[in-house]
Amino acid sequence: MSFENVKKLDKELLESNEKILQYEANELLAKSVIKNDTVKIIESFSDRPIQELQKLAKMIADREKRALIFLLSENDNLFQLVCGRGATNKMDMRTLMQESLSLIDGKGGGNKTLAQGGGTASLTKEEFIRNVTNIIAKQIKSEEYTTLD
């Protein structure tokens, strides 16, 4: 097989993966919970690369301006997290990430709209998601969240 054929197949594979992620983004949006003008998407996966979670979060944020996205993947006894938001959602993703990572002795970073990190899977995925859901609920209720510009 020639180098050009390999490059062509690589490009086709990337395009196919992109289409699958777009389909998945639409599926996650379809089953999202809408409350207080926030479209919440909290999902857990197994063995997904963090780059894929980042792409998925960006796709969802681009499609839904009110989105609040929290994606978790368990890979080899480690949790990898991505959180993001749409343009009209004002929650600070750095704060959400820091508070989430504190539960699993993790490290991470990002900005107000997209953050990522990881740590030890010291809780079950279900326990961790339950804790994160509570963190999100508290942030939504907090004055800090409602007064941000």
Side-chain angles (χ1 to χ4, degrees), residues 85-93 112 144-146 148-149:
R85 65 171 168 90
T88 63
N89 189 306
K90 298 299 181 201
M91 190 179 288
D92 189 334
M93 294 300 106
K112 286 181 179 178
E144 188 182 301
Y145 172 71
T146 51
L148 288 175
D149 53 335

Side-chain angles (χ1 to χ4, degrees), residues 68-134:
L68 170 59
I69 306 134
F70 191 94
L71 306 176
L72 161 71
S73 183
E74 187 173 4
N75 307 332
D76 298 322
N77 209 31
L78 293 173
F79 284 157
Q80 292 193 298
L81 330 169
V82 172
C83 59
R85 65 171 168 90
T88 63
N89 189 306
K90 298 299 181 201
M91 190 179 288
D92 189 334
M93 294 300 106
R94 289 174 302 197
T95 307
L96 176 55
M97 183 56 66
Q98 286 163 356
E99 289 190 28
S100 302
L101 289 171
S102 72
L103 299 169
I104 55 170
D105 195 31
K107 290 183 168 58
N111 57 44
K112 286 181 179 178
T113 59
L114 187 74
Q116 59 281 319
T120 310
S122 48
L123 307 164
T124 66
K125 276 196 287 194
E126 295 74 23
E127 288 170 325
F128 185 67
I129 290 291
R130 204 171 25 253
N131 281 301
V132 167
T133 302
N134 291 335

